[in-house]
Amino acid sequence: MTEELKKTRGRPKMFDNEVILDKALKVFWERGYEGASMAELTSTLGVNKPSLYAAFGNKEELFRQALSKYVSGPASFVRMVMKEPTARKVAEKFLLSSAEFLTSEAHPKGCMIVQGALSCGEGAEIIKEQLIQYRKHYEGLLTERFELAQLEGDLSPDVNAVDLSKYLATLHQGMSVQAVNGATQEELKRMVNVAMLSWPSK
């Protein structure tokens, strides 16, 4: 064995953390936290368990980083729709963008946050709570936007902004389940059109 081989033998395999996170994100998105076994993760990621732990600490931390990448990447449209000029356009854009996102062929169907929270059992309460907090966060963004619309006279002051946000979030969650179960983008968009018929008048 040459001196160079002796030096390299035993070194941890070098890999790009961002590439690993992209792959991990897809696995967690499809399987959920508990459904994604370490065996599947290491096989899909092409990294052995010691190297994975050395880079990310544990499965929980790997999931947290993948989730953060999901929120700032694929699911970032949620923040973007808040820039729409009226409350109605915010709601409509949120739901229509959700229909496109949840059924896209570019990534797993459904919402990673919704699916993850639904599939978490008692052994993953910390992860489940984190997913719930993410959901509450985007509900909070909608609430803040609707309260601003009320101050601007764009949305009736009689409307409960919290309830309206919860209503939209519930529609989004239902759409996620429908998408995973095979609903098409066109079907979800037709549902959005029906939902918007009940939009409160000023």
Side-chain angles (χ1 to χ4, degrees):
M1 182 180 292
T2 66
E3 192 65 29
E4 184 61 29
L5 283 174
K6 288 180 181 179
K7 290 180 181 178
T8 57
R9 189 174 185 178
R11 285 181 183 172
K13 182 179 179 181
M14 301 301 293
F15 52 81
D16 186 328
N17 279 20
E18 289 304 308
V19 172
I20 293 298
L21 278 176
D22 283 336
K23 292 180 179 180
L25 170 57
K26 183 178 180 181
V27 174
F28 284 128
W29 198 338
E30 289 179 333
R31 306 291 190 196
Y33 176 74
E34 291 188 311
S37 67
M38 284 304 300
E40 181 179 12
L41 285 167
T42 53
S43 174
T44 302
L45 276 50
V47 179
N48 61 39
K49 192 180 294 185
S51 295
L52 196 62
Y53 282 155
F56 297 100
N58 53 34
K59 179 184 174 183
E60 186 177 307
E61 182 57 28
L62 177 63
F63 180 83
R64 284 200 179 101
Q65 292 192 37
L67 181 59
S68 179
K69 192 174 185 70
Y70 170 82
V71 172
S72 63
S76 60
F77 75 91
V78 175
R79 284 187 172 276
M80 297 302 295
V81 301
M82 304 301 163
K83 299 179 181 179
E84 292 295 315
T86 67
R88 181 186 175 87
K89 286 186 177 297
V90 167
E92 187 173 39
K93 183 70 172 179
F94 171 65
L95 294 176
L96 289 175
S97 295
S98 292
E100 295 171 0
F101 171 72
L102 297 169
T103 58
S104 174
E105 297 293 336
H107 51 65
K109 297 292 193 297
C111 171
M112 179 181 175
I113 294 173
V114 173
Q115 299 306 120
L118 288 174
S119 63
C120 274
E122 292 182 3
E125 281 300 320
I126 294 176
I127 294 296
K128 183 175 182 179
E129 182 58 32
Q130 186 174 11
L131 290 167
I132 290 172
Q133 290 306 314
Y134 269 106
R135 175 182 56 75
K136 288 182 177 179
H137 175 67
Y138 80 72
E139 285 182 24
L141 292 177
L142 287 167
T143 298
E144 290 176 8
R145 180 62 184 84
F146 294 149
E147 288 175 342
L148 175 61
Q150 288 176 318
L151 290 174
E152 295 174 340
D154 172 54
L155 184 64
S156 171
D158 296 330
V159 173
N160 186 309
V162 173
D163 290 348
L164 183 58
S165 299
K166 179 74 70 176
Y167 169 68
L168 293 174
T170 301
L171 288 174
H172 169 82
Q173 291 160 33
M175 289 165 67
S176 175
V177 175
Q178 288 280 335
V180 171
N181 290 334
T184 67
Q185 183 178 132
E186 190 56 40
E187 287 172 334
L188 294 185
K189 285 187 173 181
R190 289 203 300 269
M191 188 219 73
V192 172
N193 292 335
V194 172
M196 292 308 298
L197 292 175
S198 63
W199 186 257
S201 58
K202 293 184 182 179

